[in-house]
Structures are given as C-alpha cells and as structure tokens.
Amino acid sequence: MLLPKKTAKPGDIRFMDVNGDKKINDDDRVLLGNAQPKFSFGFSNTFSLKGFDLMVLLQGGYGNKLYNVNTSTLENLTGLQNQSTTTLNRWTPENTNTNIPRATTVKPTARSWDRMVEDGSYMRVKTVQLGYNLPQANLQRIKLAALKVYVNVQNLFTITNYSGLDPEVSRYGSDNVSPGFDSGAYPNARTISFGINASF
C-alpha cells in the first residue's frame, strides 16, 4: 500500500507501507538482496596453431546485489552538483512514467531505497594473450633456443546489467560490514602490453 504524505508533491518518492500499519518506518524495510554472489566462476584455456597461441581467461560472479551510491549522489536533483544524464528522464508533468523523482531544492530522501540496489552479476574477459613462437629454423641463425613475441590485454570487456563503471567493486574493500558499496570506486583499468620471451 502506498500511503499519502502530507507534504508530498507530484514527482516525489513514495514508500510502501509493507506491513499495513499505515505508518512508514523501519518496520517497512525489506531484504533486497545479498552482496555475496551465489557463485563465482573462472575459466581459462590456451589454443595453439602453427606457432601461434591464444590464452583466454574468463571470470565472473552471479546472484549478488550492489548498492550504487553514485546513483543517489548523481540523481539527487538539488542543484548543488553535477548530475547524471539519467536525470533528463526525471519526473515532470509531461514525463510521469519514470522512477526518477522531480527536481527540487531539497534532497528527495535520506532513506535507502530499491532504485539504488542493482544486480551485480557479470562475466568479464579478464585476460587475452596472443603470442607467436618463431620457427626453430630462424632461431638457429641468431643463436636463440626460443623466441616468443606476444600482446596481452587485461580487462578486455565485461558483460553485465550493472549501470555503474565496474560490477567488480566494493568501496570499502575487505570490510565485512559494508560489502557491495559502489561510491566512486575506481574501476579496473583496461591495459595492453607487449612483450618478448627469449631463451638462449
């Protein structure tokens, strides 16, 4: 049941009276998920063909929830800081079919609510390495036992429905009280490196 609020205006957030006591308080809180994934996984394999080898490492997690504090910060619509482009879809008299509240000079709510909780499931191509081993016939001329050139890419791409920069995030690191918080944490960077392995 959605209860009317005396000071509410069209476009304000409305909370559900979950227990039906006609009050909005802590008794109406519900469990929205767990920051711990139901399972994590990884898979790697190396493919070889005529001197070339390709190594691929996939990793991911499924079933966890993330609390996207960035959404709360970048969609508060108080005019005190830059806002996300998602606020272009905020409530207006002409745009009423949205879950982003109206613009106001007062922070919409200090409460946590379900819009900030997102599915943190993902699959990431963590590592891809392509290498080429020079033929032995060519190596004998330069007196090498083996020579390999390669290119390595870390964090090539990620498949996820999470709207933040990186689903593999926890703002408070190993803190077991506040896992799964994304509050401006820096995402895993994509890196490309080139290398040579030589044996004499």
Side-chain angles (χ1 to χ4, degrees):
M1 179 195 317
L2 287 171
L3 289 181
K5 186 179 176 183
K6 293 180 180 179
T7 59
K9 295 181 179 179
D12 284 348
I13 299 169
R14 297 176 66 189
F15 291 99
M16 292 190 68
D17 179 19
V18 176
N19 64 1
D21 65 357
K22 297 185 179 180
K23 299 176 185 177
I24 300 296
N25 54 32
D26 288 347
D27 294 334
D28 295 303
R29 294 182 300 177
V30 296
L31 183 64
L32 295 177
N34 193 321
Q36 303 299 332
K38 293 179 180 177
F39 64 85
S40 301
F41 63 89
F43 171 80
S44 65
N45 206 347
T46 301
F47 309 90
S48 300
L49 178 66
K50 295 182 178 180
F52 289 94
D53 57 66
L54 176 68
M55 188 277 289
V56 179
L57 169 62
L58 307 178
Q59 73 167 54
Y62 172 77
N64 64 307
K65 298 293 185 181
L66 297 175
Y67 187 78
N68 192 347
V69 183
N70 304 305
T71 301
S72 176
T73 304
L74 297 175
E75 291 184 0
N76 63 34
L77 291 165
T78 59
L80 299 177
Q81 61 211 27
N82 289 333
Q83 298 289 275
S84 168
T85 55
T86 56
T87 59
L88 296 173
N89 189 38
R90 67 186 180 276
W91 187 96
T92 65
E94 295 76 30
N95 184 42
T96 58
N97 187 23
T98 179
N99 63 351
I100 302 175
R102 68 185 176 93
T104 176
T105 56
V106 181
K107 188 175 181 180
T109 181
R111 293 178 181 267
S112 299
W113 58 300
D114 58 351
R115 176 160 169 72
M116 313 307 166
V117 180
E118 300 185 42
D119 181 13
S121 303
Y122 75 97
M123 185 183 74
R124 168 170 287 154
V125 180
K126 186 69 175 177
T127 305
V128 175
Q129 180 171 297
L130 177 64
Y132 178 67
N133 299 281
L134 269 69
Q136 286 294 326
N138 296 341
L139 295 175
Q140 291 174 356
R141 301 173 190 170
I142 54 178
K143 298 182 179 180
L144 287 177
L147 182 65
K148 177 180 180 178
V149 294
Y150 65 88
V151 57
N152 183 290
V153 183
Q154 297 286 323
N155 303 309
L156 181 59
F157 65 87
T158 304
I159 300 171
T160 183
N161 289 325
Y162 180 57
S163 67
L165 295 176
D166 191 343
E168 191 183 4
V169 66
S170 183
R171 174 66 177 83
Y172 301 105
S174 59
D175 181 358
N176 61 3
V177 178
S178 304
F181 272 70
D182 185 359
S183 179
Y186 199 81
N188 285 288
R190 179 183 298 126
T191 59
I192 302 175
S193 57
F194 301 88
I196 298 175
N197 290 336
S199 299
F200 297 91

